[in-house]
Amino acid sequence: MFRVRDDYRRAQLAIAALFLFLGFQYATWVSRLPALRTRLDLGEAEIGLLLMVCGVGAAVSFPLVAVLMRRLGSRVLASVSALALGAVLLALSVVPNYPVTLLVVFCDGVAVGCLNVAMNAQGAALEVRYERTAMSRLHATFSGGSLLAALLASGINAFTTSLAVHFGVATALLVLVLGLAQPGLLREDRPGEETVPNEPATEKRRKLSLPSRVTIWMGLAMVFGTVTEGAMNDWSALYIKDVVHAAPSLAPMGIAVVSVMMVLARIFADGWRSRIGDGRIVRAGGVLAGFGLAMALLVGGLVPTLIGFASVGVGVAAVTPCVYVAAARQGSDALSLVAAMGTTGLLAGPAVIGFIANAGSLTWGMGAVAASAGIVSLCATRIRWPALREPAASKPAAQEDPTGGTAPGPAALTEA
């Protein structure tokens, strides 16, 4: 029993390091966009295109990721893509001009797409192998990595403005994290993949190339979930300033409330998942986010708005972790497609909200965000959700997981 617990802890920490790695790497170079803008003499439109190219790289990486996942497995792919992300930081510290910067950032997006799929496949395999909920906490460590990157950027800027020094130190830390994590990563990433027994290899390969109806529903849930999350990040401050007419100093409170509530919810969400199941969590979360934000838009005022934003943070916190787990059980192709669709939603969502706001008003745009959250709940009714917990009466020797999840008996059920 203790050996199993130690193995679980070791794997959990290693996989969490991958999530921290990705959050740290992305926040590191984004935090230095002002320095890159000054160095390359860029305008606002060029900065916007730079961020867009990164998202496009991640979105179009799906065919490559699907092939690499089948050939290399998530463990090797995670290590290779992580090293590529470290190389991107070093390249960004010496880029000579804007076109080269666009190319480097596009490569960053592709590597992000690869690591995103690989680390979520590892997280899903961890849950299936040890029958414990862990994915929500893993996603919370991504935010922790972003916070650490911001602190490092502030600390280094106090001594030097050199991008080479900053990105060199950050890369060294990332290589250290990867080196510590790599031995603990799971070697088998498909223990829960649903396949047909004795299925011919050619037939199986054909099915992997064609997404099932369930996979499409997962992708749609991910799209609308990331639309909701991304739009709140991009538009909440403007809504508080321009619609609520709060003081400019209070405008950042919107994203702060959403982010804090999302991190807190992810810390506790694994315990909720083990008690009531992923499907109920996603359905209830979509309703909470949509209804809470809609009520805030109707009532108006700063306090109701912040309460509505908090509802969104809590409601969407577990959507992506739960959908990733469900997609991973369908195989690496399904996981890659769902991840690509999620990236597309994160990329395109804020822009779509901007178009709606331009055609009507920002209130209508935020109303579309509330509708997106509600659509997540509708999509969730069409997905076969995994349940990692048995009824109490049928568990012969359940063990409590100190991290907040449970260690059930040997079987894993599927929620209808």
Side-chain angles (χ1 to χ4, degrees):
M1 180 182 69
F2 293 106
R3 173 64 182 276
V4 172
R5 182 182 300 173
D6 291 343
D7 289 345
Y8 170 76
R9 292 295 185 205
R10 184 166 175 260
Q12 183 188 41
L13 290 174
I15 298 168
L18 295 179
F19 281 82
L20 183 142
F21 184 109
L22 186 57
F24 186 95
Q25 191 272 351
Y26 182 77
T28 293
W29 76 265
V30 170
S31 69
R32 298 308 303 271
L33 277 177
L36 283 170
R37 178 176 59 185
T38 300
R39 176 180 170 181
L40 300 174
D41 192 24
L42 305 179
E44 297 298 327
E46 291 167 312
I47 290 293
L49 179 60
L50 195 67
L51 295 173
M52 177 74 74
V53 164
C54 181
V56 169
V60 303
S61 66
F62 161 64
L64 175 65
V65 176
V67 171
L68 292 178
M69 278 290 289
R70 289 197 297 270
R71 293 185 178 181
L72 302 179
S74 63
R75 185 173 185 266
V76 175
L77 181 57
S79 300
V80 172
S81 55
L83 289 174
L85 288 171
V88 163
L89 284 184
L90 296 179
L92 284 174
S93 68
V94 296
V95 285
N97 52 51
Y98 185 60
V100 174
T101 305
L102 288 175
L103 177 61
V104 171
V105 170
F106 178 82
C107 293
D108 179 82
V110 174
V112 166
C114 292
L115 181 55
N116 183 40
V117 172
M119 70 187 189
N120 278 286
Q122 284 275 314
L126 178 73
E127 291 200 348
V128 173
R129 176 171 299 184
Y130 294 100
E131 297 181 327
R132 302 184 184 190
T133 50
M135 189 67 91
S136 295
R137 276 193 176 87
L138 293 176
H139 278 258
T141 61
F142 176 90
S143 302
S146 299
L147 174 60
L148 291 175
L151 294 176
L152 177 67
S154 297
I156 289 182
N157 278 332
F159 295 96
T160 177
T161 59
S162 170
L163 282 176
V165 171
H166 181 189
F167 289 176
V169 171
T171 301
L173 292 174
L174 289 174
V175 171
L176 177 61
V177 168
L178 180 62
L180 294 174
Q182 212 274 338
L185 297 178
L186 300 176
R187 297 182 180 275
E188 175 56 56
D189 54 34
R190 302 180 191 126
E193 183 174 338
E194 296 179 4
T195 58
V196 179
N198 303 319
E199 184 180 16
T202 55
E203 181 70 11
K204 179 179 178 181
R205 192 176 297 114
R206 185 186 69 80
K207 286 187 176 180
L208 287 174
S209 64
L210 297 174
S212 66
R213 186 178 303 174
V214 172
T215 300
I216 296 299
W217 282 114
M218 291 177 186
L220 290 174
M222 185 69 81
V223 165
F224 287 104
T226 54
V227 164
T228 304
E229 184 176 341
M232 294 302 298
N233 290 337
D234 286 17
W235 292 103
S236 59
L238 283 175
Y239 181 84
I240 288 178
K241 178 178 179 295
D242 296 342
V243 179
V244 179
H245 301 298
S249 60
L250 295 177
M253 286 295 293
I255 183 58
V257 167
V258 174
S259 299
V260 169
M261 296 308 296
M262 185 173 294
V263 171
L264 290 176
R266 282 178 171 170
I267 291 174
F268 293 101
D270 286 324
W272 302 339
R273 292 174 57 211
S274 66
R275 293 185 183 93
I276 64 177
D278 290 12
R280 293 185 182 93
I281 288 289
V282 175
R283 291 192 293 267
V287 170
L288 174 63
F291 181 79
L293 181 57
M295 289 298 99
L297 299 177
L298 290 174
V299 174
L302 180 61
V303 173
T305 295
L306 292 179
I307 293 175
F309 287 4
S311 300
V312 175
V314 174
V316 303
V319 170
T320 52
C322 291
V323 176
Y324 274 129
V325 170
R329 293 175 67 89
Q330 301 295 321
S332 59
D333 279 35
L335 177 60
S336 300
L337 177 59
V338 168
M341 292 179 71
T343 303
T344 301
L346 198 63
L347 171 69
V352 171
I353 300 305
F355 294 142
I356 295 174
N358 185 62
S361 67
L362 188 51
T363 301
W364 280 102
M366 296 300 282
V369 177
S372 294
I375 293 173
V376 171
S377 293
L378 295 178
C379 294
T381 63
R382 311 299 299 174
I383 298 173
R384 295 174 59 192
W385 295 99
L388 302 180
R389 184 177 68 94
E390 292 180 326
S394 64
K395 288 192 292 185
Q399 298 293 332
E400 182 178 354
D401 176 7
T403 66
T406 59
L413 303 180
T414 300
E415 180 182 343

